[in-house]
Amino acid sequence: MTSSSSPSQDTKRLAHAYPEGLRADALMEEDVAWSYEIDGERDGDQFDRSERAALRRVAGLSTELEDVTEVEYRQLRLERVVLVGVWTSGTAQDADNSLAELAALAETAGALVLDGVIQRRDKPDAATYIGSGKAVELRDIVLETGADTVICDGELSPGQLIQLEDVVKVKVIDRTALILDIFAQHAKSREGKAQVALAQMQYMLPRLRGWGQSLSRQMGGGRGGLATRGPGETKIETDRRRIREKMAKMRREIAEMKTGREVKRQERRRHKVPSVAIAGYTNAGKSSLLNRLTGAGVLVENALFATLDPTVRRAQTPSGRLYTLADTVGFVRHLPHHLVEAFRSTMEEVGDSDLILHVVDGSHPVPEEQLAAVREVIRDVGATDVPEIVVINKADAADPLVLQRLLRTEKRSIAVSARTGQGIDELLALIDNELPRPAVEIEALVPYTHGKLVARAHTEGEVISEEHTAEGTLLKVRVHEELAADLAPYVPAQLA
């Protein structure tokens, strides 16, 4: 927490508030009693030192089932989890929002959130993430709630993972492992499953552990036969070698599958079909927007990462121009770099597009954080040069003040509701204006025997006017150079 007043101003106030003899004691005292004269102008909530250092419970995170019928409906035993976060920067509200998002991720993975605590630190503890003393307190909370898993709101090193588990005596996972688990549940296509498997193996490789017989040697020894002398290979080394081999095989498979999508992309480029990519935060309404614009029938669910596999659909602008609309995987704050690498081939749809529809949830408390998180990933995949339209979705449920703030700060933005259809017509008109237009304007009289050229003009170009005459179809179109060369022989003599 920062103070809005300067140190010199605080000293002057203390000079008025305390007699001369007590002034030095008051300045040295860490916990000076609060007074409006001294502390009234400070911004935000002020915490005592003990409160700042304590594990602070976050209210409203528990999702424990109380209704008996709901318990019976969920026949599978859900993991009972306690969430823990480290608040290093920002406000207390920022820390609470981050832990609330972690709770939503845990629910999506099928867990039952029992409690959530936050530890205020300058940086995470190198040994146990939250410090040895707070780890013991966390152990007490785990015993009190009956939890069997602890989820940390950050990526833990292998050492932090082992030492925190040794203290709390239950399974400990981090935010990265949780997101990878959700992706593994939701991946449906062959490519999506391969990408998730690769990301999981990349994450697992440095975190392999073994004990007892698992550390025994696999060959070796002084009395062995040919090729068996020496210390031999431990079981954990064998596991690491096998994972590396599987990762190499998975990368080859993903590269082969990438080729098929690249062929389709080149075909679209050859026909000069503009492409639009929908990118945005998870659960911002990307699939709902795709369905509203194209009638694609993609799965829509109020859950994080409900759809992972990219969907490409054909669409048409109000002026009749054809383009493709691609739905991409959702993003989230601190998206694991393993996933960014594994899904790089999928995310290339964003980099190769002519226009990005950046969808943001207008009903979210802090939509600016969603925008920043998505733009960070867009920057990672090298798509910063692609034009962007910020589509503020869920306008029907959003705070009007938040909508006004976003529309004012984001110059190329529009508020829509994929559920009610509000603003969709304006969005289609905006897409029509922003898509790149063919460079050559030409007027040609195409004989009726060459109807394919007229069809190409409609699919690959922009028809300004069309008139059917006795000699053929008189077209005034805006097309690319290749089609312009094919139409050139039919330009009327007076226009040539």
Side-chain angles (χ1 to χ4, degrees):
M1 297 292 177
T2 59
S3 174
S4 59
S5 57
S6 66
S8 60
Q9 290 173 332
D10 288 342
T11 306
K12 291 176 183 177
R13 291 181 186 131
L14 284 168
H16 292 295
Y18 292 90
E20 185 70 31
L22 299 177
R23 198 174 302 154
D25 294 338
L27 286 171
M28 296 295 292
E29 183 67 38
E30 287 192 20
D31 296 324
V32 180
W34 189 94
S35 69
Y36 182 79
E37 184 180 0
I38 299 173
D39 299 311
E41 296 182 7
R42 294 188 178 181
D43 54 341
D45 299 329
Q46 305 299 314
F47 296 103
D48 291 337
R49 184 176 59 178
S50 58
E51 291 180 7
R52 289 199 304 269
L55 281 175
R56 182 169 60 84
R57 273 193 161 92
V58 180
L61 288 181
S62 176
T63 59
E64 191 167 9
L65 303 177
E66 297 179 356
D67 185 6
V68 175
T69 58
E70 194 174 357
V71 174
E72 291 176 349
Y73 179 72
R74 298 191 188 183
Q75 296 179 356
L76 295 175
R77 181 183 179 276
L78 301 180
E79 287 196 52
R80 300 163 63 85
V81 303
V82 170
L83 312 179
V84 57
V86 172
W87 167 24
T88 57
S89 61
T91 64
Q93 186 60 46
D94 293 336
D96 290 352
N97 289 341
S98 182
L99 209 66
E101 183 176 90
L102 186 68
L105 288 167
E107 287 183 56
T108 303
L112 194 64
V113 179
L114 302 178
D115 208 345
V117 293
I118 291 176
Q119 163 70 351
R120 182 72 167 98
R121 297 180 64 92
D122 292 333
K123 61 180 180 179
D125 182 63
T128 59
Y129 184 66
I130 56 174
S132 56
K134 292 299 179 286
V136 174
E137 291 183 35
L138 180 61
R139 168 63 179 162
D140 295 337
I141 294 173
V142 168
L143 286 173
E144 176 190 335
T145 58
D148 49 28
T149 304
V150 170
I151 304 178
C152 298
D153 191 15
E155 185 167 341
L156 302 187
S157 68
Q160 288 172 323
L161 205 62
I162 293 170
Q163 295 195 51
L164 190 56
E165 273 191 354
D166 286 343
V167 176
V168 300
K169 305 300 182 186
V170 295
K171 180 172 71 174
V172 175
I173 64 173
D174 58 14
R175 183 188 182 94
T176 300
L178 179 62
I179 293 175
L180 287 171
D181 182 75
I182 296 171
F183 271 59
Q185 291 181 40
H186 291 180
K188 296 293 185 288
S189 69
R190 179 167 167 257
E191 185 175 12
K193 290 177 180 177
Q195 288 168 328
V196 172
L198 176 61
Q200 285 180 316
M201 285 187 284
Q202 285 177 313
Y203 174 80
M204 189 192 312
L205 187 61
R207 292 169 174 80
L208 283 179
R209 284 179 282 172
W211 54 88
Q213 293 298 318
S214 297
L215 292 175
S216 60
R217 300 283 173 182
Q218 300 296 303
M219 293 173 61
R223 298 181 182 179
L226 292 175
T228 60
R229 294 178 179 85
E233 186 179 39
T234 63
K235 177 66 166 61
I236 198 167
E237 288 169 348
T238 306
D239 292 340
R240 285 178 181 147
R241 177 168 50 79
R242 286 175 177 168
I243 286 180
R244 289 191 187 99
E245 290 171 356
K246 286 182 180 178
M247 286 170 61
K249 180 183 176 184
M250 205 68 70
R251 287 193 180 99
R252 288 194 298 270
E253 290 181 2
I254 292 173
E256 291 171 1
M257 289 182 273
K258 177 185 174 182
T259 304
R261 193 168 54 251
E262 183 63 31
V263 168
K264 295 177 183 176
R265 203 177 292 147
Q266 288 177 354
E267 188 70 12
R268 294 199 295 268
R269 286 199 205 103
R270 189 172 68 84
H271 290 293
K272 308 295 181 183
V273 179
S275 61
V276 178
I278 301 178
Y281 214 75
T282 179
N283 206 30
K286 298 183 300 300
S287 298
S288 300
L289 185 64
L290 178 71
N291 290 343
R292 174 66 70 170
L293 293 175
T294 66
V298 177
L299 169 69
V300 173
E301 189 176 343
N302 185 22
L304 305 185
F305 301 113
T307 51
L308 294 183
D309 303 316
T311 304
V312 180
R313 290 291 182 269
R314 185 172 168 176
Q316 194 172 21
T317 65
S319 65
R321 300 170 62 200
L322 292 177
Y323 65 98
T324 59
L325 199 60
D327 184 17
T328 60
V329 63
F331 303 145
V332 73
R333 273 183 300 186
H334 313 303
L335 190 67
H337 64 276
H338 309 295
L339 279 174
V340 175
E341 278 301 315
F343 278 78
R344 184 170 293 276
S345 59
T346 301
M347 293 175 181
E348 284 173 0
E349 291 285 354
V350 177
D352 289 339
S353 62
D354 297 301
L355 180 66
I356 297 175
L357 297 185
H358 185 165
V359 184
V360 61
D361 183 357
S363 63
H364 190 270
V366 193
E368 289 85 357
E369 290 183 2
Q370 293 191 352
L371 288 168
V374 174
R375 281 171 177 157
E376 182 180 347
V377 181
I378 289 176
R379 187 168 55 250
D380 288 343
V381 298
T384 52
D385 296 332
V386 182
E388 174 193 70
I389 297 175
V390 175
V391 182
I392 308 166
N393 193 24
K394 306 182 184 179
D396 55 321
D399 184 347
L401 294 177
V402 174
L403 283 181
Q404 290 176 14
R405 187 177 74 232
L406 284 174
L407 291 170
R408 186 173 59 253
T409 55
E410 297 295 335
K411 302 305 179 186
R412 294 155 59 99
S413 59
I414 184 171
V416 305
S417 172
R419 186 177 67 85
T420 65
Q422 172 190 341
I424 295 298
D425 292 338
E426 291 82 355
L427 175 60
L428 287 170
L430 191 56
I431 293 172
D432 199 355
N433 291 332
E434 294 292 335
L435 282 177
R437 296 182 177 277
V440 181
E441 187 173 318
I442 191 171
E443 189 171 344
L445 182 61
V446 183
Y448 291 120
T449 54
H450 293 73
K452 285 185 178 180
L453 282 176
V454 178
R456 284 182 61 192
H458 280 277
T459 56
E460 300 176 24
E462 183 179 354
V463 177
I464 300 171
S465 65
E466 182 178 12
E467 182 183 349
H468 299 286
T469 67
E471 293 81 13
T473 305
L474 183 61
L475 284 175
K476 186 176 182 181
V477 291
R478 192 178 286 114
V479 293
H480 52 82
E481 290 83 354
E482 183 182 341
L483 183 53
D486 293 339
L487 289 171
Y490 307 106
V491 175
Q494 64 270 24
L495 297 175

